Amino acid sequence: MSKHLTSLPEWKALAAHAAELKNVHLRELFAKDSSRGTKFTAEAAGLYLDYSKNRITEETVKLLIALAEASQLKARTEAMFTGEKINITENRAVLHVALRAPKTEKILVDGEDVVPEVHAVLEKMAGFAEKVRSGAWLGYTGKRIKNIVNIGIGGSDLGPVMAYEALKHYSNRDLTFRFVSNVDGTDFAEAVHDLNAEETLFLVASKTFTTLETMTNAHSARTWALATLKQTEAIASHFVAISTNEKEVAKFGIDTQNMFGFWDWVGGRYSMDSAIGLSTMLAIGPNNFRELLDGFHDMDVHFRTTPIEKNLPALLGLLSVWYTEFFDAQTVAILPYDQYLKRFPAYLQQLTMESNGKHVTLEGKTVDYQTGPIYWGEPGTNGQHSFYQLIHQGTRLIPCDFIGFSKTLNPLGNHHDLLMANVFAQTEALAFGKTAEEVKAEGVADALVPHKVFEGNRPSNTILAEKLTPRLLGSLVALYEHAVFTQGVIWQIDSFDQWGVELGKVLASRIIKEIASDTELKHDSSTNNLITRYKSKK
Ligand code: F6P
C-alpha cells in the first residue's frame, strides 16, 4: 500500500521550499550563479535539455529527487520494464518498451518471452512494406498502389499522423498518405475524393477492432472501394488490418493473412512503434523505421539506467509535478520550432492527458492534489503571433517546452537562423522579462509603462537536438512517454487505463438507437430537447 502523497515528509519539504521560492525571480537566480545555464542541463539519446530557466535551485532538484525516491520511481520503472502488470485496473503489463527491444533481449509476460513475437511482426511488416513500396503488391485490377489511407482513431491515428508528418522528409513521395479518424463523414469523403480505388490501399488500424469511428469509416471505405472494384474478393488486395483482435478482423472480411498483430500489453497511445506504425514504415521504409525504434530504445536505456539528476524523462516529469502542485500551473505548452513537428502537440495531448487525467489513486482513493496538466501547443513561430501574449503578460503561469534543431532539413536562405533566434529570444523574454525601469529608460510615456512591462519569471525547458531524424523522433517520443510515467508514479495513479472515455461511448450508442427510432427519450430535459430538435430538423 502506498503512503498518502501529501503526508510524505518529502512532499511537505517541497511545499515549504516552494513557498520560499515563490518570490524569487529567475533574474536573481541567474545573477547569483553564472554557471546556471550549463549546470541545469542533461543530455541523452541525441537530446540536450536545458532546464535552467525553471524556478528551481539545486535544493529544489534535491527535494524533487527525494520525492521520486520516496515514490519508488526506480522500482516502479523496473516493474514496467520487466513486464509486471502495473496497469492494475486492466490487469495488464505495460510493455511498449518491448516493441523496441533488440532481438537479444528477453522480456517475459506470463512466463513467455515476447521479444521474438515483436520481431516476427516487424519482419512481416517489412516484407509487406517492401512489396508495396517496390510496386510488387498490386491492386485487384493489376494497378500499382499509389495511395495509402490509414483508418484509425486516438492512438491508432495520432501517432501515425504525427510520425508521417514529422518524417515526411524521409518519405516515399510517390505514395500519397491520408489519415481518416473522425466519424464525421466529411473526414472520409475528403480523404478519398481524388483517389482511385484501384490504386488505394486501406490500413484499418484498431487495437480492439470494435471502435465505432474506425469501424464506421472502414465499412464506408469498403463500400467506396467496391463501387469501383465490384468483386468482394478485391478486398484482400486493398485492405489490411492492424489489430489485436483476429476474430473481429475476420468478421469484417479482411483476410487474417493480411493482418498485423500486436498485444494487450501495448496501450493505444503507446502503440505508434507497434504494427500501428505500418503507415510510418510504408512512408519511410523498414530501415528508417528500425532507426526510429532504435531512438526509442536509446531513451529507454537512458531512462532505466541513469540516476535521476541526469535523467531527462525523470527531470521533465518532476518539473511538471513541481509546477502543477506548488505553482497552480494548469497547463504545459509544447512549442516545437520545426514545421515537421506540427502534429506533435496533438499527439502529446493523448499521451499525457489520457494517461494522467485521473482523479483516484491506484488504490481507488480520491486524490487531494492535482494530477495531469493540460497539454497544448502549436509549432513556432506561429504561436508567437497568437497565444504567446498570454504566456508573456497574462495572469497564469504556463510552463513551456521549446523544441529546436541545430540543422534544418530544408536549408533556405537564413530561415533557420531566424527560426532558432526566436526560440532563444522567447525563452529569454519569458525568464527575464522587462522591468518598469527598463521600459521607462526607453522613453515610454508613464501611462504606457505598465502595459509594456514583462514580469518575466516564466519557466521553460529548451530541448535542442542536431537534426530531426527517425532515430531522434523515437528518442523524443520516448522522452515524453517516460516523463508521463514519472508523473504517474509520483501521483500514484494508473497511467495506463482510460475509463474516462467509456461513459460517452455508452450514452452515444443509446442515443444512436433513439435517433433511428421513435422510442420515448428518457434523458434530462436539455438532452431530450436537443435530440428532439435535431431529429425534427435533420
Ligand atoms: O479513446 C479511447 C481509446 O480506447 C484510446 O485509448 C485508443 O487509442 C482509441 O480509443 C482507439 O482504440 P482502438 O485502437 O481500439 O480502435
Side-chain angles (χ1 to χ4, degrees):
M1 193 165 135
S2 39
K3 293 187 201 127
H4 182 220
L5 178 60
T6 54
S7 307
L8 288 175
E10 291 80 3
W11 177 278
K12 289 184 179 156
L14 269 167
H17 174 67
E20 279 168 22
L21 261 190
K22 281 257 162 75
N23 298 318
V24 177
H25 201 288
L26 278 166
R27 278 195 287 259
E28 263 175 81
L29 295 175
F30 271 88
K32 251 199 255 161
D33 180 0
S34 61
S35 66
R36 189 179 167 89
T38 47
K39 188 184 282 170
F40 291 99
T41 63
E43 195 168 1
L47 296 169
Y48 178 81
L49 169 68
D50 175 348
Y51 61 102
S52 64
K53 293 191 184 92
N54 279 291
R55 292 170 66 172
I56 56 166
T57 61
E58 281 160 290
E59 178 68 5
T60 322
V61 176
K62 230 173 75 193
L63 294 173
L64 285 169
I65 293 173
L67 179 67
E69 281 165 355
S71 307
Q72 317 254 302
L73 178 60
K74 283 287 166 197
R76 303 275 298 145
T77 303
E78 274 314 294
M80 174 170 74
F81 275 80
T82 54
E84 253 183 59
K85 298 197 172 164
I86 61 166
N87 176 359
I88 57 158
T89 71
E90 295 180 309
N91 191 29
R92 286 180 184 162
V94 174
L95 271 180
H96 39 280
V97 294
L99 298 171
R100 52 263 191 160
K103 268 188 182 156
T104 47
E105 236 172 84
K106 234 180 182 203
I107 303 174
L108 303 183
V109 178
D110 294 329
E112 220 173 284
D113 183 8
V114 299
V115 178
E117 292 177 67
V118 166
H119 284 272
V121 173
L122 278 172
E123 271 154 39
K124 184 173 173 185
M125 287 165 67
F128 176 72
E130 293 292 16
K131 272 196 207 151
V132 175
R133 285 165 62 87
S134 67
W137 181 283
L138 297 175
Y140 182 65
T141 59
K143 290 201 168 145
R144 195 177 168 144
I145 295 297
K146 286 194 186 150
N147 316 305
I148 315 277
V149 181
N150 188 81
I151 298 179
I153 198 163
S156 303
D157 168 70
L158 289 162
V161 184
M162 182 278 288
Y164 169 69
E165 292 294 343
L167 301 176
K168 208 177 208 167
H169 179 80
Y170 303 90
S171 71
N172 179 339
R173 304 293 177 128
D174 295 334
L175 291 171
T176 295
F177 286 82
R178 302 268 162 86
F179 296 84
V180 177
S181 53
N182 200 334
V183 75
D184 182 343
T186 301
D187 203 11
F188 180 78
E190 285 294 338
V192 298
H193 86 279
D194 56 348
L195 304 186
N196 176 356
E198 292 172 281
E199 300 170 337
T200 302
L201 177 71
F202 289 97
L203 315 179
V204 185
S206 174
K207 181 176 170 181
T208 54
F209 230 72
T210 55
T211 305
L212 170 96
E213 291 88 340
T214 302
M215 288 304 108
T216 307
N217 280 319
H219 281 287
S220 297
R222 217 166 95 123
T223 307
W224 177 84
L226 287 177
T228 305
L229 301 168
K230 312 290 184 211
Q231 311 297 327
T232 45
E233 67 200 46
I235 296 299
S237 312
H238 293 267
F239 281 77
V240 302
I242 303 155
S243 186
T244 57
N245 192 342
E246 202 168 324
K247 212 170 105 209
E248 287 297 323
V249 169
K251 217 160 105 190
F252 179 86
I254 295 179
D255 184 350
T256 47
Q257 294 293 315
N258 297 340
M259 171 178 161
F260 300 86
F262 60 114
W263 308 272
D264 73 353
W265 41 261
V266 183
R269 53 194 176 272
Y270 296 87
S271 67
M272 60 168 278
D273 48 343
S274 70
I276 290 291
L278 185 60
S279 58
T280 314
M281 192 190 268
L282 284 161
I284 64 174
N287 288 341
N288 277 324
F289 195 81
R290 279 183 207 110
E291 283 283 314
L292 175 78
L293 297 182
D294 288 347
F296 273 100
H297 184 66
D298 292 344
M299 188 54 77
D300 294 342
V301 172
H302 166 77
F303 179 59
R304 190 177 184 181
T305 59
T306 310
I308 302 175
E309 59 268 27
K310 283 289 164 203
N311 192 312
L312 269 74
L315 288 167
L316 212 59
L318 289 170
L319 284 165
S320 56
V321 169
W322 171 241
Y323 293 117
T324 303
E325 303 308 332
F326 304 110
F327 287 76
D328 294 330
Q330 288 164 351
T331 80
V332 176
I334 302 293
L335 308 166
Y337 277 64
D338 190 301
Q339 191 61 21
Y340 285 124
L341 290 180
K342 66 181 179 195
R343 296 292 288 162
F344 193 61
Y347 168 75
L348 279 192
Q349 284 187 324
Q350 188 198 10
L351 180 71
T352 57
M353 288 154 74
E354 206 171 67
S355 296
N356 285 342
K358 310 288 162 68
H359 73 298
V360 294
T361 64
L362 288 161
E363 285 147 14
K365 301 215 176 78
T366 303
V367 297
D368 59 354
Y369 44 87
Q370 295 292 331
T371 62
I374 298 150
Y375 280 74
W376 60 288
E378 278 289 318
T381 54
N382 298 5
Q384 291 174 208
H385 298 273
S386 144
F387 53 79
Y388 277 39
Q389 164 66 39
L390 187 147
I391 306 182
H392 281 288
Q393 286 191 315
T395 53
R396 295 168 195 281
L397 183 87
I398 303 181
C400 302
D401 287 356
F402 287 82
I403 302 167
F405 296 89
S406 301
K407 293 193 176 97
T408 174
L409 293 168
N410 293 296
L412 183 63
N414 67 343
H415 281 241
H416 196 62
D417 287 345
L418 293 176
L419 177 73
M420 291 307 293
N422 275 283
V423 174
F424 308 132
Q426 289 300 326
T427 67
E428 188 178 11
L430 287 168
F432 300 99
K434 200 183 214 183
T435 63
E437 289 66 42
E438 286 165 338
V439 176
K440 274 185 208 151
E442 288 172 356
V444 170
D446 281 356
L448 269 185
V449 170
H451 298 278
K452 294 204 161 196
V453 165
F454 287 70
E455 283 172 351
N457 217 12
R458 292 166 194 235
S460 66
N461 292 308
T462 305
I463 297 166
L464 276 187
E466 196 179 317
K467 199 167 108 182
L468 180 55
T469 59
R471 188 170 192 133
L472 195 280
L473 183 71
S475 302
L476 185 64
V477 173
L479 166 68
Y480 280 95
E481 285 179 347
H482 297 316
V484 166
F485 174 78
T486 302
Q487 295 170 338
V489 168
I490 304 290
W491 289 323
Q492 303 177 4
I493 55 181
D494 190 333
S495 298
F496 302 103
D497 60 13
Q498 56 284 317
W499 299 107
V501 302
E502 294 304 323
L503 180 58
K505 286 188 195 171
V506 172
L507 290 178
S509 68
R510 174 175 152 197
I511 295 172
I512 291 162
K513 289 186 201 114
E514 290 166 350
I515 288 175
S517 70
D518 286 327
T519 47
E520 190 194 344
L521 299 175
K522 288 185 182 154
H523 303 267
D524 59 277
S525 60
S526 161
T527 311
N528 281 347
N529 178 44
L530 289 168
I531 297 170
T532 307
R533 191 176 167 87
Y534 168 72
K535 283 175 77 171
S536 72
K537 306 261 181 213
K538 86 185 209 96

